């Protein structure tokens, strides 16, 4: 066993903790923060720190450490929370998440972001906590290259202090040892003696100051002492107006009392801030502090999706075996009639097997809450950036959706939400002028509708302007007419490169995206509809199948072979009459169905099925729709509707043209699920190649006699 | 776990390799036994349209869709028949499960390194790239097939070329 085996567990746990933390931060009531919530946030940070320390993720550990310290003050009520502080906390959380991802992909985390957030947090500590923070600094880098002091801090400072630039010539410096016990202190003082002349020393355990005259740089002093203590326990600063002699400085003592007088970037502020908690041991060995118990006993277990899929497979097999048995029993006919216990057993087995399948499928289903929970943050950030007031309402959080879909819906949904916020909802003043409440409302809702899930993004903003859309479409060279129905006009926004935004903003308006949104959703077997009313708002509706793992299919027979058509593509079926079929340009055939001419695809031709009915008037035409176009498919027989479990063909084989996936039928055999538009392309390609083959044959024949 | 103890034994044994011997027509072929997942009868294969003739189709192996390749057709053997003796060897290559149809499975052989001779440069139908050698066993000759290379090769058309370039 290697420690790296535990990495994944840590990553997953940390991710959950971070998500938790974000949720809690967003829920915080700033005026009257709930101490339980603050505790929860603190615990999350602490747990991550502990884990990061154990696994040697130093950068993450240091970031969480500083963050944790701040949170500690917050929960003790020493740090008054404000909206901008929460923003910074959220930013810190994001950076921690990035660091986590970096470690996960075995990269080094972004050093710059790390330093920046450390400084920001330390600054908050300096400015906000009256008495200053204990040696919170975790970033030795920050020590080495002190950032310019923030304006605020320097404005407050009344003492003119030279910035503690490193590597000066022989100079006097005060080396402050914060919370170092006597044993270590003696050692350290000895070390310092090696580096230069000690002019004086005084202080106690919380703050011991040594005035050192030395030509060694600050960095080197720190490096030497870091062997014994933590970098945040050391503070080095020059003695200003240093007397050349060895007079014990009195002035520095005053400096220490006013932490604000130090450059803000300097990590370790006042020594006076003696924390009630036992900080020193915690600092030295953070792991030793007993881990706070998890808030509640978890009622769920973490299982890999592979395992679930395996169970689903096995249950599928069970169902097939069960229907095989069922078939055998019914074949027994008369013999089994007398045997009622066999009959009873069979029906019981059938029911149990179906129930089992249903419950197993539900394992893969997760509530929409997983998607919606990220939106309070998105809305908050975006609204802040756009300076709009927006209230987010979510409905139907408990609606369940297949896990694979949940993962894929997040990005398109984020895009739609941003779009609504940016283009939909107006600025507060504008809203007021229109007689609307200043605060815009954005509703995210999810609910079941038939075998589908319906997700809506609804805003009460300006709505879409038909005229503007049509004008833009013409400018973009799209083929539009003034008489188009509204639904089609709204669909224009999904055209690639289409944007009505007056200017490109940080949030949206580049015109890329909406087409991607549509493609993503179609890729999931869903569709997007838009309803909009000028001045009243826009409603974007996403309709998705509940799961990709199960499909409502129509099984059809062509010759001896069975295929599945997705039921959602089937519109109707009819018996074609001779008079309704028209040949076009040789081998293309169209079928007239109620004033519409549909291209005919004979499945037995496209898929080379032998023994199929070749006379179209004897076969059945299934009218299907794929990628917005309709086709008439010639099949031999309609077998019936059934739910099928979708199996990927590409796992062990490759993509097959005209086929989207496979499934296993009741008798255990494999049936292919047809892909309508793929079949059409295949049929065209076949005709092309036949044509070229024929023409080759012809030219060959012509050439022969000569 | 017990590597330390058996290290020496294993090192000696590692030289010897075990092969599953199967017949295609009159010829005897062998593949590394470690690649073999199971052996089953030939049944219930669903044809895939527009695939090469040696790809017989796909079958259901306990809920997994597995492509079936007939090596006899691939190697241009005559008398390709499907009967009670026809056997499918299910192999695991490159994280995929593939079934190969053969005329019969005879036995499992252990070959020592000196029994494995390099494959001569020949072969139009079966490029020597796909052979790991020839096994000589008294009066028998086994064609040792590198099943990994063979099944993932472009000419087998089992793997999307885009997918292989990723690997």
């Amino acid at each position: 066993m290697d420690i790296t085996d535990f990495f994944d567990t840590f990553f997953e746990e940390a991710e959950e903790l971070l998500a938790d933390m974000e949720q809690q931060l967003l829920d915080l009531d700033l005026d009257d923060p709930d101490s339980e919530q603050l505790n929860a946030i603190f615990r999350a940070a602490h747990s991550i720190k502990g884990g990061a320390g154990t696994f040697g993720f130093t950068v993450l550990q240091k970031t969480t450490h500083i963050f944790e310290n701040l949170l500690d003050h917050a929960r003790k009520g020493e740090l008054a929370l404000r909206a901008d502080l929460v923003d910074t906390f959220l930013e810190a959380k994001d950076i921690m998440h990035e660091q986590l991802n970096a470690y996960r992909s075995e990269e080094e985390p972004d050093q710059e972001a790390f330093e920046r957030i450390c400084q920001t947090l330390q600054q908050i500590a300096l400015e906000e906590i009256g008495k200053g923070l204990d040696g919170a600094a975790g970033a030795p880098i920050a020590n080495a290259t002190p950032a310019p002091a923030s304006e605020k801090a320097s404005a407050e400072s009344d003492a003119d202090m030279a910035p503690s630039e490193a590597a000066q010539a022989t100079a006097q410096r005060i080396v402050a040892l914060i919370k170092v016990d006597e044993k270590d202190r003696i050692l350290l003082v000895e070390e310092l003696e090696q580096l230069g002349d000690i002019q004086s020393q005084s202080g106690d355990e919380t703050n011991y100051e040594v005035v050192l005259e030395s030509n060694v740089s600050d960095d080197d002093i720190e490096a030497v002492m870091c062997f014994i203590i933590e970098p945040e326990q050391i503070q080095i600063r020059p003695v200003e107006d240093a007397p050349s002699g060895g007079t014990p400085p009195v002035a520095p003592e005053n400096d220490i009392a006013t932490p604000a007088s130090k450059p803000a970037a300097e990590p370790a502020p006042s020594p006076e801030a003696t924390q009630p908690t036992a900080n020193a041991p915690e600092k030295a060995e953070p792991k030793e502090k007993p881990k706070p118990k998890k808030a509640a006993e978890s009622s769920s277990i973490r299982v890999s999706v592979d395992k679930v899929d395996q169970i689903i497979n096995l249950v599928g097999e069970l169902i097939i075996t069960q229907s095989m048995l069922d078939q055998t029993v019914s074949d027994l006919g008369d013999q089994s009639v007398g045997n009622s216990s066999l009959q009873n057993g069979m029906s019981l087995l059938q029911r149990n097997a179906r129930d089992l399948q249903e419950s197993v499928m539900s394992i893969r289903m997760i509530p929409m809450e997983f998607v919606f929970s990220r939106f309070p943050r998105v809305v908050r950030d975006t609204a802040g950036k756009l300076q709009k007031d927006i209230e987010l309402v979510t409905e139907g959080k408990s609606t369940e959706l297949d896990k694979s879909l949940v993962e894929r819906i997040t990005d398109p949904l984020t895009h739609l939400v941003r779009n609504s916020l940016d283009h939909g909802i107006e600025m507060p003043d504008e809203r007021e002028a229109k007689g609307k409440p200043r605060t815009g409302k954005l509703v995210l809702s999810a609910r079941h509708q038939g075998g589908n899930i319906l997700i809506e993004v609804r805003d009460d903003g300006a709505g879409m302007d038909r005229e503007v859309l049509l004008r833009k479409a013409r400018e973009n060279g799209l083929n539009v007419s003034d008489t188009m129905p509204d639904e089609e006009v709204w669909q224009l926004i999904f055209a690639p490169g289409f944007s009505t935004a007056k200017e490109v903003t940080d949030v949206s308006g580049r015109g890329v995206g909406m087409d991607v949104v549509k493609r993503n959703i179609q890729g999931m077997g869903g569709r997007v509809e838009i309803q909009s009313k000028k001045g009243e708002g826009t409603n974007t509706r996403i309709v998705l199948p509940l799961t990709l793992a199960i499909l409502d299919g129509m099984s059809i027979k062509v010759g001896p072979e069975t295929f599945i058509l997705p039921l959602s593509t089937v519109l109707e079926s009819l018996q074609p009459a001779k008079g309704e079929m028209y040949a076009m340009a040789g081998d293309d055939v169209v079928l007239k169905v109620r004033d519409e001419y549909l291209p005919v695809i004979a499945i037995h031709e496209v898929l080379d099925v032998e023994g199929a009915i070749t006379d179209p008037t004897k076969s059945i035409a299934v009218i299907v729709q794929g990628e917005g176009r309709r086709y008439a498919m010639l099949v031999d027989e309609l077998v019936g509707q059934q739910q099928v479990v979708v199996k990927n063909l590409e796992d062990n084989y490759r993509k097959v043209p005209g086929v989207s996936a496979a499934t296993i039928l009741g008798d255990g055999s494999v049936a292919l699920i047809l892909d309508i538009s793929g079949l059409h392309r295949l049929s065209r390609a076949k005709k092309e190649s036949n044509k070229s083959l024929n023409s080759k044959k012809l030219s060959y024949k012509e050439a022969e006699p000569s | 776990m017990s590597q330390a103890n058996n290290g020496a034994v294993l090192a000696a044994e590692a030289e010897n390799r075990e092969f599953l011997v199967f017949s295609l027509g009159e010829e005897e072929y062998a593949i590394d036994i470690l690649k073999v997942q199971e052996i089953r009868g030939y049944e219930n294969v669903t044809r895939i349209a527009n695939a090469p003739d040696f790809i017989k189709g796909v079958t259901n192996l306990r809920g997994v869709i597995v492509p079936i390749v007939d090596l006899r057709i691939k190697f241009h053997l005559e008398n390709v028949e499907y009967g009670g003796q026809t056997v499918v060897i299910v192999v695991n290559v490159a994280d995929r499960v593939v079934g190969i149809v053969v005329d019969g499975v005879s036995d499992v052989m252990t070959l020592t390194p000196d029994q494995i001779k390099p494959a001569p440069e020949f072969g139009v139908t079966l490029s020597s790239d796909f052979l790991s050698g020839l096994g000589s066993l008294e009066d028998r000759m086994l064609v040792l097939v590198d099943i990994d290379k063979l099944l993932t090769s472009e000419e087998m058309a089992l793997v999307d070329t885009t997918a292989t370039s990723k690997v």
Side-chain angles (χ1 to χ4, degrees), chain B residues 59-147:
Chain B
T59 194
N60 164 26
L61 181 73
R62 288 186 300 283
V64 181
I65 310 279
V66 175
I68 303 292
V69 181
D70 195 329
L71 280 189
R72 301 172 300 180
I73 300 174
K74 176 67 195 161
F75 293 169
H76 300 297
L77 297 177
E78 288 160 18
N79 299 329
V80 177
E81 284 167 7
Y82 299 95
Q85 288 296 305
T86 315
V87 161
V88 176
I89 305 175
V90 180
V91 294
N92 258 309
V93 290
D95 286 332
R96 282 155 179 266
V97 186
V98 179
I100 54 178
V101 183
V102 299
D103 276 323
V105 172
S106 46
D107 48 356
V108 177
M109 295 272 184
T110 306
L111 294 182
T112 57
D114 50 308
Q115 282 176 306
I116 301 175
K117 315 286 184 212
E121 288 277 340
F122 66 90
V124 181
T125 39
L126 181 57
S127 155
S128 45
D129 288 349
F130 304 136
L131 301 184
S132 50
L134 296 174
S136 76
L137 215 77
E138 289 155 23
D139 55 341
R140 292 161 74 185
M141 186 197 80
L142 305 177
V143 182
L144 307 182
V145 180
D146 187 333
I147 198 77

Side-chain angles (χ1 to χ4, degrees), chain A residues 287 489 498 647:
Chain A
K287 274 163 278 172
V489 175
F498 194 90
K647 303 271 179 179

Side-chain angles (χ1 to χ4, degrees), chain A residues 479-625:
Chain A
N479 188 16
V480 292
S481 77
D482 283 329
T483 53
M484 279 165 82
D486 276 356
E487 289 74 46
E488 283 177 37
V489 175
W490 307 146
Q491 290 285 332
L492 286 173
I493 63 165
F494 293 117
F498 194 90
S499 176
T500 56
K502 289 178 192 81
E503 56 197 286
V504 171
T505 66
D506 202 15
V507 181
S508 57
R510 282 184 197 84
V512 287
M514 282 310 261
D515 58 321
V516 179
V517 167
K518 188 173 182 181
R519 259 211 314 280
N520 283 351
I521 289 167
Q522 281 178 340
M524 288 183 268
R527 60 177 195 275
V528 202
E529 295 162 3
I530 297 179
Q531 296 167 340
S532 185
K533 209 160 194 187
K534 197 179 170 187
E536 286 180 26
T538 306
N539 182 5
T540 313
R541 297 153 61 98
I542 302 171
V543 183
L544 284 179
L546 277 184
T547 169
L548 291 183
I550 289 187
L551 178 106
D552 274 317
M554 164 81 80
S555 42
I556 54 163
K557 270 211 138 136
V558 181
E561 300 184 17
T562 306
F563 298 99
I564 307 283
L565 280 172
L567 199 59
S568 58
T569 65
V570 177
L571 302 174
E572 60 176 322
S573 64
L574 49 96
Q575 189 105 41
K578 202 165 181 73
E580 293 163 351
M581 311 270 290
Y582 301 93
M584 258 177 64
D587 47 1
D588 275 337
V589 181
V590 291
L591 175 70
K592 189 180 177 198
V593 182
R594 286 189 295 275
D595 296 337
E596 207 179 344
Y597 292 95
L598 303 176
V600 171
I601 303 172
I603 291 186
H604 67 91
E605 272 174 24
V606 182
L607 298 178
D608 296 320
V609 185
E610 284 169 19
I613 299 171
T614 47
D615 181 358
T617 54
K618 291 200 174 107
S619 59
I620 294 168
V622 183
I623 313 299
V624 291
Q625 188 164 21

Side-chain angles (χ1 to χ4, degrees), chain A residues 313 317 561 606-609 647-656 662 664 667-672 682 686, chain B residues 44 46-52 55 58-60 62-67 95-98 157-161:
Chain A
N313 266 344
E317 283 294 295
E561 300 184 17
V606 182
L607 298 178
D608 296 320
V609 185
K647 303 271 179 179
N648 195 344
L649 264 180
E650 284 138 82
D651 283 349
N652 292 315
Y653 188 51
R654 58 188 296 166
K655 185 132 188 56
V656 179
I664 296 165
D667 62 357
S669 66
V670 178
L672 302 177
L682 190 63
K686 276 217 140 161
Chain B
N44 247 343
T46 300
R47 193 183 61 90
I48 286 184
N50 307 312
I55 292 179
V58 287
T59 194
N60 164 26
R62 288 186 300 283
V64 181
I65 310 279
V66 175
D95 286 332
R96 282 155 179 266
V97 186
V98 179
L158 272 172
V159 183
D160 270 324
T161 35

Side-chain angles (χ1 to χ4, degrees), chain A residues 250-272:
Chain A
V250 186
E253 299 266 18
N254 294 338
D255 277 348
I256 299 152
T258 52
S261 66
K262 284 184 209 118
E266 271 240 337
S270 162
E272 275 178 37

